[in-house]
Amino acid sequence: MPETSIDDLLRIMAMLRDPERGCPWDLKQDFATIAPYTIEEAYEVADAIDRRDFTDLRDELGDLLLQVVFHARMAEEIGQFSFHDVVRTICAKMIRRHPHVFPDVDGNVEALANVQTQTQAWEEHKRREREQHSGGDSSLLAGIPRGLPEWQRALKLQKRASTVGFDWSEPGPVLDKLHEEIDEVRHELDSGAEHARIEDEIGDVLFVCVNLARLAKVDYSTALRVANAKFERRFRRMEALAAADGTTLQGKSLIEQDVYWDRAKADDKAALLKP
């Protein structure tokens, strides 16, 4: 295969968006219709990393890069910015946010003692940038994107608040808070509260769960991915065990299904213990 470069990809995208000879589907798209694909491709990158499938990772990174090129091409068509502007902006930002790596105009490099100091300096650079682009919103929470998955927004909100000390220092108190919030959900359910009240209390539980994961230094998304994979693995095993008995899970009571679940759970744990 001949050597290719980013310019080849930019040329391909320009041809796909050519008003006269381009692809009808690509021409029909706009920022709003492409955004869900951009999010999906980012998750597929994370999935390939989780599976340590580097062939898939290569392909998924290409798909994600295509999304960047697609958005940049549409922006260029309406005279806003080009892909090269995107590259120039991120390069400038990375240099600006890493004064401990890149020298200033006088050739000086900022000294940082450790990773914690670096993180504090990084957040300070981001804070100054937010002030410049906040449109008058001076809140510490300004600029957190509303298009993020809500658990990610929760995490960012909590991290921002923690920079002024509004935070727990360890997971223990968060567990106490979680029990408190669960009790409130139980109260609303037992009292027959309206849906909005129950939704509100369950939201509090989920928010605290994100906080718990953060303080336990566990990535919430990774933990949930692992839990999803575990459930899927065990449920599939339930189906296989039922099939081996000449039956299916369909139509069985929850008690009967729980018997298969316990067997699947035991098999799963045994498989994980094997060297």
Side-chain angles (χ1 to χ4, degrees):
M1 185 175 180
E3 191 68 27
T4 55
S5 70
I6 188 64
D7 290 331
D8 294 303
L9 183 56
L10 294 173
R11 185 163 50 252
I12 289 169
M13 179 52 65
M15 292 174 66
L16 291 172
R17 292 280 297 181
D18 185 281
E20 296 181 0
R21 296 178 297 169
C23 169
W25 186 90
D26 289 277
L27 286 167
K28 185 180 178 182
Q29 306 310 310
D30 57 28
F31 296 105
T33 62
I34 289 297
Y37 294 101
T38 308
I39 295 169
E40 180 181 335
E41 296 300 349
Y43 276 112
E44 290 185 1
V45 167
D47 178 63
I49 292 171
D50 192 50
R51 292 182 285 105
R52 295 190 63 79
D53 188 328
F54 290 100
T55 300
D56 259 11
L57 178 58
R58 177 201 63 200
D59 293 347
E60 298 300 345
L61 285 171
D63 291 342
L64 186 57
L65 177 59
L66 177 65
Q67 297 300 306
V68 177
V69 169
F70 208 139
H71 284 289
R73 178 65 196 180
M74 290 188 292
E76 185 173 8
E77 290 169 359
I78 59 175
Q80 291 297 319
F81 59 82
S82 70
F83 177 81
H84 297 294
D85 294 322
V86 173
V87 174
R88 186 161 46 250
T89 300
I90 188 59
C91 286
K93 182 186 293 184
M94 295 306 290
I95 292 172
R96 185 172 64 250
R97 289 185 178 178
H98 292 82
H100 55 291
V101 176
F102 302 100
D104 60 20
V105 292
D106 298 321
N108 300 316
V109 176
E110 184 177 304
L112 292 178
N114 51 44
V115 173
Q116 183 177 2
T117 305
Q118 178 185 344
T119 301
Q120 291 171 346
W122 175 272
E123 291 299 332
E124 177 59 22
H125 282 291
K126 289 170 66 176
R127 184 192 65 78
R128 290 199 295 265
E129 290 170 4
R130 285 198 302 271
E131 286 183 350
Q132 294 173 357
H133 300 94
S134 64
D137 186 353
S138 60
S139 171
L140 181 66
L141 305 181
I144 297 178
R146 296 191 177 276
L148 289 171
E150 292 304 331
W151 72 264
Q152 284 188 322
R153 257 199 116 233
L155 183 61
K156 284 186 175 290
L157 289 167
Q158 292 165 9
K159 284 184 174 180
R160 288 278 185 88
S162 72
T163 62
V164 294
F166 189 68
D167 198 11
W168 284 292
S169 59
E170 57 184 24
V174 191
L175 280 172
D176 295 335
K177 184 65 174 176
L178 181 58
H179 285 297
E180 176 188 325
E181 297 296 353
I182 290 173
D183 286 341
E184 291 181 8
V185 172
R186 183 177 289 111
H187 171 75
E188 297 296 349
L189 289 170
D190 290 344
S191 64
E194 59 186 35
H195 180 267
R197 288 293 310 142
I198 296 170
E199 181 181 66
D200 183 65
E201 296 299 344
I202 289 178
D204 290 343
V205 170
L206 298 176
F207 190 85
V208 174
C209 284
V210 173
N211 223 338
L212 177 62
R214 178 177 64 86
L215 287 172
K217 296 182 172 29
V218 168
D219 181 86
Y220 186 93
S221 178
T222 300
L224 189 55
R225 249 197 332 270
V226 170
N228 286 341
K230 180 166 59 178
F231 177 83
E232 181 178 2
R233 189 171 62 244
R234 291 178 178 180
F235 189 86
R236 287 177 180 272
R237 180 58 180 160
M238 285 174 64
E239 293 175 317
L241 289 169
D245 289 342
T247 185
T248 68
L249 299 177
Q250 186 71 31
K252 292 193 178 301
S253 68
L254 182 58
I255 293 175
E256 292 174 309
Q257 291 182 355
D258 270 342
V259 172
Y260 283 112
W261 175 260
D262 289 339
R263 288 173 61 189
K265 186 176 178 181
D267 289 350
D268 190 45
K269 288 184 175 180
L272 292 174
L273 290 174
K274 287 183 179 179

